[in-house]
């Protein structure tokens, strides 16, 4: 049995290469955030932390911002513009796009309707409501006065943090409902045959063994009653699109490194590493 002193020195032993390994992806990554702008109060962009994690592995990754509360078509135009800016500045040919939540719908729209397929090597979505989310239906069922006042505040906030675009909270929420995505968006936005589509879902809280921040328990239970296990915003089933790569045990906010407790930090880090390893192993 090793002595305590031996065990301590073993932990202090220097590694030849202590830095993270270099993951040599063929194409750079653009991370596209979802609905909402609260993350911008805490960090440069909602997916900034994931972007920095990727850069630690030597990956050329970017996490831009678009107007947080806008319709899918509006956001898609912004993503297209930003992707072409990166293409021109750095001379990139194509990109691996990772869309979180609504960001995945934005890029699906841009690929199908805006000709972005020529710039996309792959699209991976995380907790994207590909079949809508009951949470949007729930929000729109609220009292009209409260809904209208809240939307006015969020529209003001959205245009304040991203003044180059018009914020449309209620219209964008309507585009996330079960009915809109399933009956209008999906039929008019088929996958492009030249683009590989990958997806991850997520499930915590009710129906799982994974805990959830108490402030999200009500909506988590409401979505569960309508759609099954979910991450407190999007159901695991709704997130399935293209080649489904499985569910992660992180809440919607935890996925972007917000409100992550010590318990979930290793899951957050291993999830993003698993994603980039998957892209590498499949030649992207």
């Amino acid at each position: 049995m090793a002595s305590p002193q031996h065990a301590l020195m073993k932990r202090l032993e220097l590694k030849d290469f202590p830095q993270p390994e270099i993951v040599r992806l063929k194409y750079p990554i653009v991370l596209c955030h979802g609905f909402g702008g609260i993350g911008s109060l805490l960090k440069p962009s909602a997916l900034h932390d994931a972007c920095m994690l990727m850069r630690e592995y030597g990956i050329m990754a970017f996490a831009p911002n678009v107007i947080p509360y806008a319709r899918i078509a509006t956001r898609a135009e912004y993503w297209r513009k930003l992707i072409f800016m990166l293409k021109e500045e750095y001379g990139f040919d194509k990109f691996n796009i990772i869309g979180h939540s609504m960001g995945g719908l934005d890029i699906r729209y841009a690929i199908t309707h805006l000709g972005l397929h020529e710039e996309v090597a792959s699209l991976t979505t995380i907790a994207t409501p590909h079949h809508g989310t009951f949470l949007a239906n729930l929000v729109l069922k609220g009292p009209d006065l409260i809904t209208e006042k809240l939307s006015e505040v969020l529209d003001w906030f959205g245009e304040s943090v991203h003044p180059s675009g018009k914020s449309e909270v209620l219209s964008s929420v309507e585009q996330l409902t079960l009915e809109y995505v399933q009956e209008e968006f999906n039929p008019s936005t088929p996958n492009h045959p030249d683009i590989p589509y990958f997806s991850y879902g997520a499930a915590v809280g009710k129906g799982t063994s994974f805990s959830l921040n108490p402030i999200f328990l009500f909506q988590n239970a409401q979505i569960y009653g309508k759609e099954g296990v979910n991450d407190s915003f999007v159901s695991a089933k709704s997130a399935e699109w293209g080649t489904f790569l499985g569910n992660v045990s992180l809440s919607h906010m935890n996925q972007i490194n917000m409100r992550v407790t010590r318990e979930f930090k290793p899951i957050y880090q291993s999830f993003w590493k698993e994603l980039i390893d998957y892209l590498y192993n499949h030649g992207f």
Side-chain angles (χ1 to χ4, degrees):
M1 183 175 179
S3 66
Q5 294 86 351
H6 177 79
L8 174 61
M9 294 310 298
K10 192 67 178 175
R11 288 199 299 271
L12 294 176
E13 186 176 294
L14 296 176
K15 298 179 181 178
D16 290 339
F17 296 98
Q19 294 77 31
E21 64 180 292
I22 297 296
V23 180
R24 298 174 66 88
L25 293 185
K26 184 176 181 180
Y27 302 104
I29 286 177
V30 176
L31 297 118
C32 301
H33 66 78
F35 176 89
I38 302 302
S40 65
L41 297 176
L42 306 173
K43 56 188 74 176
S45 70
L47 289 166
H48 178 77
D49 293 347
C51 181
M52 292 298 101
L53 180 62
M54 291 179 180
R55 289 191 178 190
E56 288 182 11
Y57 289 101
I59 295 171
M60 291 181 287
F62 306 87
N65 291 301
V66 299
I67 188 164
Y69 305 106
R71 295 171 65 84
I72 293 170
T74 301
R75 288 165 52 96
E77 288 279 6
Y78 271 100
W79 291 124
R80 182 181 181 277
K81 175 184 175 182
L82 293 172
I83 287 168
F84 271 88
M85 287 174 63
L86 290 173
K87 183 176 181 179
E88 181 177 345
E89 181 171 354
Y90 295 100
F92 297 135
D93 179 28
K94 292 189 175 186
F95 300 85
N96 291 308
I97 309 294
I98 298 175
H100 181 251
S101 195
M102 187 180 182
L105 298 181
D106 300 339
I107 300 302
R108 280 180 54 199
Y109 183 96
I111 290 172
T112 302
H113 301 288
L114 304 180
L116 194 65
H117 63 281
E118 295 184 357
E119 283 66 46
V120 177
S122 70
L123 171 60
T124 304
T125 61
I126 304 166
T128 288
H130 291 292
H131 306 280
T133 173
F134 183 64
L135 181 60
N137 294 71
L138 194 64
V139 168
L140 294 175
K141 286 181 180 178
D144 290 343
L145 182 59
I146 295 177
T147 301
E148 290 174 7
K149 291 299 181 183
L150 180 61
S151 68
E152 289 176 6
V153 172
L154 292 178
D155 280 335
W156 168 82
F157 174 74
E159 292 176 6
S160 297
V161 299
H162 202 288
S164 62
K166 178 174 174 52
S167 185
E168 298 177 283
V169 170
L170 289 183
S171 294
S172 55
V173 171
E174 288 171 358
Q175 291 193 325
L176 299 175
T177 60
L178 300 172
E179 295 78 12
Y180 178 82
V181 180
Q182 294 177 31
E183 297 171 14
E184 296 188 46
F185 184 81
N186 284 344
S188 66
T189 314
N191 288 355
H192 193 283
D194 297 335
I195 304 297
Y197 293 74
F198 308 112
S199 63
Y200 285 94
V204 293
K206 192 172 179 62
T208 78
S209 59
F210 300 101
S211 61
L212 176 65
N213 189 309
I215 67 174
F216 297 113
L217 289 176
F218 173 76
Q219 63 195 60
N220 175 248
Q222 293 295 310
I223 299 171
Y224 180 86
K226 186 72 175 181
E227 301 182 75
V229 294
N230 62 88
D231 66 359
S232 76
F233 281 73
V234 177
S235 74
K237 191 67 179 174
S238 183
E240 294 186 18
W241 196 260
T243 301
F244 184 62
L245 303 179
N247 289 320
V248 61
S249 52
L250 292 169
S251 73
H252 209 72
M253 292 300 186
N254 285 172
Q255 294 155 24
I256 59 175
N257 202 31
M258 291 186 64
R259 302 180 179 275
V260 180
T261 62
R262 184 178 300 178
E263 172 190 3
F264 289 101
K265 196 72 172 182
I267 302 175
Y268 161 80
Q269 293 174 329
S270 64
F271 164 67
W272 283 100
K273 179 58 164 57
E274 173 190 312
L275 192 162
I276 60 177
D277 281 344
Y278 183 89
L279 292 174
Y280 171 77
N281 291 330
H282 288 78
F284 296 105

